[in-house]
Amino acid sequence: MTSSEQSVDHLPSVPYLLSVTPAGAARSTRRSAVPVRARYTYLGPEGTFSEIALRTLPEVANADLIPSTSVTAALDAVRCGEASGALVPIENSVEGAVTTTLDELATGQPLLIDREVVLPISFALLVRPGTRLDEIKTVTGHPVAQAQVRRWLATYLPYAEWESAASNAEGARLVRDGRFDCAFAGAFAARRYGLEALLTDINDVAGATTRFVLVARPGPLGLPTRADKTSAVAWLAHNHPGALLELLQEWSVRGVNLLRIESRPTGEGLGQYCFSFDAEGHASDRRVAEALMGLHRLCPKVRFLGSYPRAGESRPRPRPRPRPWPQGRAMGATTVPALGPAGVPARGAVPGPRDPDHDDDPAYTRAAAWLARCLDGPEAANPREAA
Ligand SMILES: O=C(O)C(=O)C[C@]1(C(=O)O)C=C[C@@H](O)C=C1
């Protein structure tokens, strides 16, 4: 048994976060002086990989961890102030994006990604004690799990009927209740639901991993480390030849590496897409800041999703304070706003200093003001959306 299995077995039984008050009710608790015990939520019920991922974070050691019924419920709990943060899956190395998470972060009241966790994923076939493989007729699990065991299912349970569950642990709960014969879930979930791991280490692709993000209400960004990632969503102005290329060029001309980019339907009709991406670096890095401002000029809508340490990079540590950018000097296509003592645009320093090159350029001024608000983390870090 691994240490993570042990930690799950010793979890207290907690209720689901079900009641959600209207969004917009509460502000971030990050700066609160009141010593309240933090509450974090995750895709539940107890015994999900999401819970294991959340428990790897030192900041939750003394917090209450409360399962949510879905990614949407977890994020809404943060939006309305019921939880300080939510840990949800966002990407799997075999199946790709967890689209619910991408879409929920792209819409609704803005949230920021604070941290990411990458977890190795391997499934066990959980059954009620005594069930044999040749007795299994119905199977359940999360859709992302199904994609990771498709070949295994075709080989060993070709006639079993699959029905998706809200999460792998929810699948295990349904097996316990007699709704299905077996569920794919982490082996650590077996004891929680009084089940038996008939088989373990099931995976079509060895070394599969899932990336999870810890999401919170907007607040000041963490200081840059030597290994950061910046996430955002951009909507293109017109569907014209080269529109996506223009967006990508904002990054490439500045030498910023994109780590992920995917299109997601906006819901406004066929062919209407926005682009969700991760870039290497922190929004206070000059090149990343310039690229974000470039996007703001180019796109009718940009949603900043945060700058945070990259998981798995050799121990990110705070950088030495960066040298201030030369104030008001043009750097490539844009200049950057005034810097505060931490090397990031100062609170209230919006827009930047008098800039003879750009003062007659309202698009520049708006982009600089937007970037400073992204770094400072006010509630409305996405004025483009209100426009
Ligand atoms: O956290 C869980 O256990 C989940 O059910 C979610 C989830 C996911 O959506 O990626 C997590 C990891 C596994 O790769 C499969 C499913």
Side-chain angles (χ1 to χ4, degrees):
M1 179 182 282
T2 66
S3 57
S4 46
E5 286 167 341
Q6 283 163 2
S7 68
V8 165
D9 283 333
H10 290 95
L11 288 183
S13 209
V14 286
Y16 262 68
L17 264 185
L18 281 173
S19 67
V20 171
T21 48
R27 250 198 73 74
S28 170
T29 54
R30 290 177 198 205
R31 288 188 231 160
S32 166
V34 186
V36 287
R37 201 171 146 89
R39 281 156 62 97
Y40 288 89
T41 187
Y42 59 91
L43 172 63
E46 295 164 64
T48 55
F49 287 106
S50 303
E51 180 185 14
I52 298 291
L54 181 59
R55 287 184 182 277
T56 65
L57 296 176
E59 57 261 51
V60 309
N62 295 312
D64 293 327
L65 307 190
I66 299 155
S68 285
T69 48
S70 64
V71 167
T72 305
L75 297 181
D76 280 348
V78 178
R79 287 187 170 109
C80 74
E82 277 188 13
S84 326
L87 198 290
V88 291
I90 194 164
E91 180 184 7
N92 174 261
S93 62
V94 176
E95 176 62 354
V98 179
T99 52
T100 311
T101 303
L102 288 187
D103 296 346
E104 286 291 338
L105 291 178
T107 54
Q109 208 183 327
L111 293 169
L112 286 186
I113 300 172
D114 257 0
R115 294 282 293 259
E116 66 174 7
V117 178
V118 175
L119 210 65
I121 302 290
S122 169
F123 293 100
L125 195 67
L126 303 189
V127 296
R128 288 180 295 281
T131 308
R132 293 194 321 265
L133 192 63
D134 59 9
E135 291 173 336
I136 292 174
K137 294 191 174 54
T138 53
V139 191
T140 189
H142 190 275
V144 173
Q146 186 193 22
Q148 296 175 75
V149 298
R150 199 181 290 133
R151 302 235 120 262
W152 190 96
L153 269 174
T155 308
Y156 297 103
L157 290 172
Y159 302 111
E161 240 174 69
W162 172 279
E163 204 177 302
S164 290
S167 73
N168 301 311
E170 174 63 5
R173 196 185 66 77
L174 293 170
V175 171
R176 179 197 67 189
D177 294 351
R179 294 268 307 279
F180 297 97
D181 296 330
C182 72
F184 284 97
F188 44 79
R191 198 182 310 172
R192 164 79 56 220
Y193 295 99
L195 301 176
E196 191 176 276
L198 188 59
L199 294 160
T200 56
D201 297 324
I202 302 173
N203 233 334
D204 288 354
V205 182
T209 54
T210 293
R211 189 165 67 89
F212 301 82
V213 286
L214 179 67
V215 172
R217 289 182 296 284
L221 292 192
L223 285 176
T225 70
R226 288 192 186 279
D228 298 295
K229 193 185 265 193
T230 291
S231 301
V233 188
W235 283 255
L236 295 179
H238 316 284
N239 188 2
H240 66 267
L244 178 59
L245 182 65
E246 287 164 13
L247 188 151
L248 296 176
Q249 271 171 341
E250 292 293 338
W251 302 97
S252 68
V253 296
R254 296 176 175 93
V256 179
N257 188 27
L258 281 184
L259 299 164
R260 178 188 63 83
I261 177 157
E262 42 207 318
S263 57
R264 290 297 306 149
T266 62
E268 289 155 5
L270 286 175
Q272 302 295 314
Y273 286 90
C274 58
F275 294 88
S276 166
F277 56 84
D278 298 336
E280 221 167 62
H282 193 278
S284 65
D285 294 345
R286 192 168 82 187
R287 291 186 299 175
V288 177
E290 286 181 9
L292 286 170
M293 286 173 63
L295 285 194
H296 191 273
R297 295 178 65 120
L298 199 64
C299 302
K301 187 164 148 182
V302 184
R303 175 172 281 214
F304 176 66
L305 292 179
S307 290
Y308 47 94
R310 285 180 69 178
E313 295 299 313
S314 52
R315 213 173 312 138
R317 56 202 148 103
R319 279 182 176 169
R321 179 175 299 174
R323 267 191 306 128
W325 294 320
Q327 298 210 333
R329 240 187 54 203
M331 286 171 285
T334 55
T335 59
V336 292
L339 291 181
V344 298
R347 190 186 309 280
V350 180
R354 239 191 88 69
D355 178 357
D357 291 339
H358 295 283
D359 274 357
D360 57 351
D361 179 354
Y364 167 77
T365 307
R366 282 197 299 274
W370 171 76
L371 174 66
R373 281 195 294 275
C374 289
L375 293 163
D376 208 21
E379 285 289 333
N382 300 284
R384 271 286 184 192
E385 297 188 41

